[in-house]
Amino acid sequence: MQQKAQLFLRAFKYGIPRLGKCMQKQNLNHCPFADHYYNRIKLRKYHLNECLQSKPKISELARNIPRRSFSRKDNLPIKQENEKSPSENMDAFEKVRTKLETQPQEEYEIINAEVKHGGFVYYQEGCCLVRSKDEEADNENYEVLFNLEELKLDQPFIDCIRVAPDEKYVAAKIRTEDSEASTCIVVKLSDQPVMEASFPNVSSFEWVKDEEDEDVLFYTFQRNLRCHDVYRATFGDNKRNERFYTEKDPSYFVFLYLTKDSRFLTINIMNKTTSEVWLIDGLSPWDPPVLIQKRIHGVLYYVEHRDDELYILTNVGEPTEFKLMRTAADTPAIMNWDLFFTMKRNTKVVDLDMFKDHCVLFLKHSNLLYVNVIGLADDSVRSLKLPPWACGFIMDTNSDPKNCPFQLCSPIRPPKYYTYKFAEGKLFEETGHEDPITKTSRVLRLEAKSKDGKLVPMTVFHKTDSEDLQQKPLLVHVYGAYGMDLKMNFRPERRVLVDDGWILAYCHVRGGGELGLQWHADGRLTKKLNGLADLEACIKTLHSQGFSQPSLTTLTAFSAGGVLVGALCNSDPELLRAVTLEAPFMDVLNTMMDTTLPLTLEELEEWGNPSSDEKHKNYIKRYCPYQNIKPQHYPSIHITAYENDERVPLKGIINYTEKLKEAVAEHAKDMGEGYQAPNIILDIQPGGNHVIEDSHKKITAQIKFLYEELGLDSTRVFEDLKKYLKF
């Protein structure tokens, strides 16, 4: 399945400009809700056990641009024949995992993930969309369905796949790293597969079978990062393509989602704080859509279906956090919603999965992860506290009603598989090789007290045998926007830093979503300065508790996280030695006053409207990084930007960098000879993506910068990186 609470941000995966990709296709992060219930498997090479990750987390759903992945709806499970040996029973995907587990964990990387549908496996081989018989996948016995080179694109890759219900057609979304624009191709699965159609600028898409057993493709059209139009098309002898819905409000984004049982196709219309859902009957897709509940400002809701009932995750009512409601499918309006399950305060709903007899909620509370299993027959609830090392979920698509599989990960530990078996009522952990990082590192859950008394959670990692932590380098991570969680997915370069003696600290400040919807509300609009105060409190708390010192403290962020980092560099530069930023949002005021930019209107509820509201304008001026640059000593700053980034335009980053360099030079003149000015580096990368998380060039440049600024020997760290990355 995919995340329920993630649907919102996931829809914004293409709607949030300065957010940052939910990299886990992923992931994304939220409250977006990703490609609910779809198996997303990364196409690009992932390292270690991360190869088998399939879905983005709710927190990461918001904006996962940099990741490439397969995505498709899981169908009915394949029937297994009489008992066979374990090796014969495993599908191709499991064989890959078993094969990898027998190799040294730090020596391999994933080459190609596969997407199973029915008796076949679909995946990208080189530059082709291919299909292989399930049992023959390991023998490379496959047929080419479509050669991507025919599209005349520069290094195209498959972003996601949807297979029609009867496997007559397969639709695949194709992208390149130079642009966020996607092309959807439809291939007819005959003896001689042929491309049936091609649609440009497609965002989300789903298949439905109508009363005549004809496959109908629903898809959304995206222009200038905005997605407002929904189309439906048929192929073969009865070709048809028509637009049947257009969203008039430019601040909303449209996203399609097929319920896990394929009973309804939902049209999700949403912005940062409000949503509206229409239902398309999966049995009668040509009938007009049915509105569940007209949009109410400030009310978010997302829909699943089971046994003629709608299960609705919504923030309606008090407290304004997510709660689970249900109603009959034929009476969907809000006055008929019955409260079914409530979450504790300060709880983040990461995901929701619906099974035949159970509903599973994936939650984050007090900075720890939980799974709540709700029995739909007797309304029983079982809450499972997950291992304290775990920082994030990776959801696995699964059509088996008896099991709920998922993965847990952390920034320094590759994903580990878990399965909740409903019959036993127990959670089973994948056995096998135990990652050595479990014995050589520690994870701490700390809190910092902000200026107004709020307790801000932090997650800290360091080597177990580290002595005198005050003398160790510290890398602080922050985001704090859009209600998105700070990304806690596994990154091999983070692990290498911990192995080399670094302390990693993740600060879950207000504006993010780690403690629920109110945590986001307390850090947006005219409360943005709360996030800055939280970040300052976190760093000072770390120092006071013996974790590093200002001369060894570095800070990193991407996209909207750059707002808080840039603001801290202006207000408290003495706390830091060096900073790395990726595609940072540094000029909030001028950007939000330019309504010609693609996403300005969608961002008004996060940053405010300085064009029409003087209060918003004056408040933004107080924290905007660009507006508050002044001659003073700054930490050294390394910025990675992308020349064709539509979400954070390069012009704003260049203007920020030039103004900062001028302020640094002016301050250096006043300081006289002997003053060592900070290094301000702008690294402009080609391409049109917003953030490229797995860029080896970017990773090595940033690590090299940090080591040089702190005067550390980087020999060991780059040797260790070679175990994970191929240069």
Side-chain angles (χ1 to χ4, degrees):
M1 92 138 213
Q2 300 257 343
Q3 316 176 231
K4 222 34 185 156
Q6 291 185 334
L7 179 53
F8 177 69
L9 280 179
R10 162 61 182 168
F12 280 145
K13 170 185 179 206
Y14 299 100
I16 296 179
R18 3 279 178 195
L19 188 184
K21 157 178 184 160
C22 223
M23 271 306 4
Q24 255 261 102
K25 248 188 174 186
Q26 310 118 41
N27 334 3
L28 184 203
N29 270 8
H30 133 198
C31 278
F33 296 55
D35 303 338
H36 309 232
Y37 313 91
Y38 298 129
N39 188 11
R40 299 199 107 175
I41 302 181
K42 303 174 191 173
L43 266 184
R44 70 175 170 77
K45 298 184 179 181
Y46 269 96
H47 318 288
L48 306 177
N49 297 335
E50 194 178 19
C51 66
L52 306 176
Q53 300 179 21
S54 56
K55 306 172 33 167
K57 313 175 209 168
I58 237 183
S59 50
E60 297 174 327
L61 289 178
R63 177 80 209 129
N64 247 343
I65 302 177
R67 239 167 247 230
R68 319 171 193 169
S69 60
F70 279 120
S71 175
R72 76 146 190 118
K73 186 81 175 174
D74 230 355
N75 278 348
L76 296 176
I78 300 175
K79 292 183 180 179
Q80 304 216 352
E81 302 179 3
N82 303 320
E83 278 200 4
K84 300 179 180 180
S85 68
S87 61
E88 291 175 318
N89 262 339
M90 286 190 294
D91 58 27
F93 190 72
E94 290 297 325
K95 290 178 183 177
V96 172
R97 180 162 67 185
T98 301
K99 202 178 297 180
L100 291 176
E101 287 173 348
T102 64
Q103 303 179 38
Q105 190 173 20
E106 299 181 0
E107 298 291 334
Y108 63 77
E109 74 174 28
I110 290 52
I111 295 188
N112 250 325
E114 301 164 341
V115 177
K116 187 195 298 185
H117 186 96
F120 299 90
V121 174
Y122 297 83
Y123 57 100
Q124 175 173 285
E125 175 73 21
C127 207
C128 298
L129 170 65
V130 303
R131 174 175 66 170
S132 173
K133 284 193 174 182
D134 188 23
E135 65 273 12
E136 297 175 351
D138 276 356
N139 298 325
E140 299 184 357
N141 189 345
Y142 56 78
E143 65 175 320
V144 175
L145 300 180
F146 182 74
N147 189 337
L148 303 187
E149 293 179 350
E150 295 179 20
L151 296 176
K152 307 298 183 184
L153 299 174
D154 183 26
Q155 295 183 323
F157 61 84
I158 299 174
D159 187 57
C160 60
I161 294 175
R162 299 286 188 270
V163 182
D166 288 337
E167 297 192 23
K168 296 177 182 177
Y169 298 95
V170 60
K173 189 166 68 171
I174 313 298
R175 283 189 51 218
T176 71
E177 288 191 352
D178 290 333
S179 172
E180 289 191 39
S182 300
T183 297
C184 178
I185 62 166
V186 178
V187 177
K188 184 176 182 180
L189 300 177
S190 57
D191 291 337
Q192 297 294 325
V194 295
M195 186 171 77
E196 188 81 8
S198 174
F199 303 115
N201 302 313
V202 170
S203 176
S204 58
F205 57 107
E206 297 292 351
W207 289 101
V208 176
K209 186 168 65 173
D210 66 12
E211 306 93 322
E212 306 299 325
D213 284 340
E214 188 169 34
D215 294 315
V216 184
L217 180 70
F218 286 78
Y219 66 93
T220 55
F221 178 78
Q222 180 170 297
R223 181 188 292 110
N224 294 327
L225 301 180
R226 296 175 180 173
C227 192
H228 295 149
D229 298 321
V230 183
Y231 290 76
R232 54 189 169 194
T234 55
F235 309 95
D237 296 333
N238 185 26
K239 284 187 172 65
R240 182 175 176 181
N241 189 22
E242 64 181 24
R243 182 176 63 182
F244 77 100
Y245 180 88
T246 297
E247 173 56 39
K248 301 298 184 183
D249 190 329
S251 70
Y252 282 77
F253 187 90
V254 181
F255 180 79
L256 301 178
Y257 161 62
L258 191 64
T259 58
K260 188 175 182 181
D261 60 4
S262 301
R263 181 65 177 81
F264 290 103
L265 176 70
T266 66
I267 304 173
N268 302 273
I269 302 128
M270 56 196 73
N271 65 17
K272 305 294 185 295
T273 62
T274 306
S275 63
E276 177 179 285
V277 182
W278 294 73
L279 294 179
I280 298 288
D281 191 333
L283 303 178
S284 305
W286 298 102
D287 290 350
V290 175
L291 175 64
I292 291 183
Q293 172 58 47
K294 185 177 180 180
R295 66 194 70 169
I296 302 171
H297 181 72
V299 174
L300 295 166
Y301 71 96
Y302 315 99
V303 178
E304 248 301 345
H305 176 265
R306 169 191 172 271
D307 288 351
D308 296 326
E309 286 188 318
L310 300 178
Y311 287 78
I312 302 166
L313 193 64
T314 178
N315 67 333
V316 70
E318 293 296 333
T320 55
E321 296 291 348
F322 279 114
K323 50 200 69 83
L324 191 59
M325 298 189 175
R326 62 182 172 187
T327 184
D330 56 358
T331 56
I334 194 169
M335 70 281 295
N336 300 311
W337 296 0
D338 293 324
L339 183 62
F340 178 57
F341 184 78
T342 59
M343 264 62 74
K344 296 178 181 178
R345 286 183 179 272
N346 298 327
T347 295
K348 166 83 174 187
V349 180
V350 178
D351 204 350
L352 177 152
D353 200 353
M354 188 68 67
F355 295 83
K356 181 178 182 297
D357 298 316
H358 298 85
C359 174
V360 180
L361 289 165
F362 299 86
L363 309 171
K364 181 182 292 185
H365 180 71
S366 297
N367 212 17
L368 294 172
L369 301 185
Y370 293 80
V371 167
N372 279 10
V373 181
I374 305 173
L376 300 179
D378 56 7
D379 292 351
S380 62
V381 179
R382 181 165 187 199
S383 182
L384 304 172
K385 184 177 180 180
L386 298 174
W389 63 263
C391 300
F393 293 102
I394 300 169
M395 309 307 161
D396 278 13
T397 301
N398 180 40
S399 56
D400 182 357
K402 299 179 180 179
N403 302 310
C404 177
F406 59 91
Q407 299 171 65
L408 298 176
C409 67
S410 86
I412 65 171
R413 179 169 173 168
K416 188 176 182 65
Y417 281 82
Y418 290 80
T419 300
Y420 184 86
K421 297 188 177 182
F422 298 115
E424 291 90 336
K426 294 180 180 179
L427 185 65
F428 292 85
E429 177 181 355
E430 177 189 43
T431 58
H433 174 71
E434 186 63 33
D435 195 303
I437 197 74
T438 58
K439 295 182 179 180
T440 60
S441 68
R442 292 185 65 193
V443 55
L444 304 173
R445 314 287 178 167
L446 306 177
E447 289 182 324
K449 182 177 286 189
S450 196
K451 292 178 181 178
D452 60 358
K454 282 286 186 181
L455 295 178
V456 184
M458 296 183 287
T459 308
V460 178
F461 303 88
H462 68 83
K463 285 185 71 173
T464 305
D465 59 358
S466 289
E467 297 180 359
D468 195 4
L469 291 172
Q470 197 169 21
Q471 301 301 318
K472 298 298 183 182
L474 168 65
L475 179 60
V476 178
H477 298 71
V478 71
Y479 186 71
Y482 302 106
M484 297 288 298
D485 291 8
L486 185 57
K487 291 194 302 181
M488 302 288 281
N489 56 301
F490 171 70
R491 297 300 309 167
E493 65 272 20
R494 303 303 185 218
R495 174 169 178 156
V496 167
L497 290 178
V498 169
D499 285 341
D500 203 38
W502 283 67
I503 304 166
L504 303 186
Y506 290 75
C507 304
H508 310 293
V509 304
R510 280 173 285 184
E514 286 88 345
L515 272 70
L517 295 178
Q518 191 60 48
W519 198 246
H520 172 219
D522 288 343
R524 68 182 185 94
L525 296 176
T526 56
K527 295 183 178 181
K528 275 290 176 186
L529 285 170
N530 284 341
L532 176 59
D534 292 352
L535 177 58
E536 178 186 346
C538 286
I539 295 176
K540 288 182 176 179
T541 298
L542 289 167
H543 291 164
S544 67
Q545 294 189 13
F547 295 99
S548 196
Q549 55 186 287
S551 63
L552 293 172
T553 297
T554 64
L555 180 56
T556 186
F558 69 94
S559 196
V563 173
L564 296 183
V565 174
L568 185 70
C569 289
N570 288 328
S571 64
D572 294 277
E574 71 281 354
L575 291 176
L576 306 168
R577 178 66 185 85
V579 169
T580 64
L581 296 169
E582 185 173 8
F585 186 28
M586 308 306 282
D587 190 358
V588 182
L589 183 61
N590 288 324
T591 301
M592 293 309 300
M593 293 186 71
D594 187 354
T595 56
T596 65
L597 294 175
L599 297 170
T600 295
L601 295 177
E602 293 183 20
E603 298 296 303
L604 294 179
E605 294 199 45
E606 180 68 24
W607 308 101
N609 190 345
S611 297
S612 62
D613 191 318
E614 197 67 19
K615 179 182 177 182
H616 286 171
K617 182 176 182 179
N618 291 332
Y619 190 84
I620 291 173
K621 284 183 178 180
R622 294 172 60 188
Y623 68 81
C624 176
Y626 177 77
Q627 299 295 325
N628 291 282
I629 293 174
K630 56 192 175 186
Q632 64 175 355
H633 180 76
Y634 278 88
S636 293
I637 300 177
H638 182 285
I639 301 174
T640 305
Y642 303 94
E643 59 183 359
N644 297 318
D645 189 342
E646 295 180 82
R647 298 181 179 276
V648 179
L650 182 60
K651 178 183 176 181
I653 298 176
I654 291 176
N655 290 342
Y656 170 83
T657 306
E658 291 178 348
K659 186 176 180 180
L660 181 61
K661 286 183 176 180
E662 291 174 1
V664 166
E666 184 177 346
H667 179 68
K669 288 180 182 179
D670 295 338
M671 297 300 292
E673 293 185 13
Y675 171 71
Q676 185 174 355
N679 292 310
I680 309 298
I681 300 172
L682 175 58
D683 180 10
I684 301 176
Q685 297 285 322
N689 273 324
H690 176 52
V691 174
I692 305 178
E693 186 169 281
D694 60 333
S695 167
H696 296 175
K697 182 179 179 181
K698 177 204 70 178
I699 292 170
T700 54
Q702 290 177 345
I703 291 180
K704 183 174 182 289
F705 170 80
L706 292 178
Y707 271 76
E708 288 179 350
E709 289 300 320
L710 271 59
L712 303 175
D713 183 0
S714 61
T715 304
R716 175 182 170 182
V717 73
F718 282 112
E719 285 298 320
D720 289 345
L721 269 176
K722 291 178 182 178
K723 299 177 183 179
Y724 298 92
L725 308 177
K726 294 211 172 186
F727 295 94

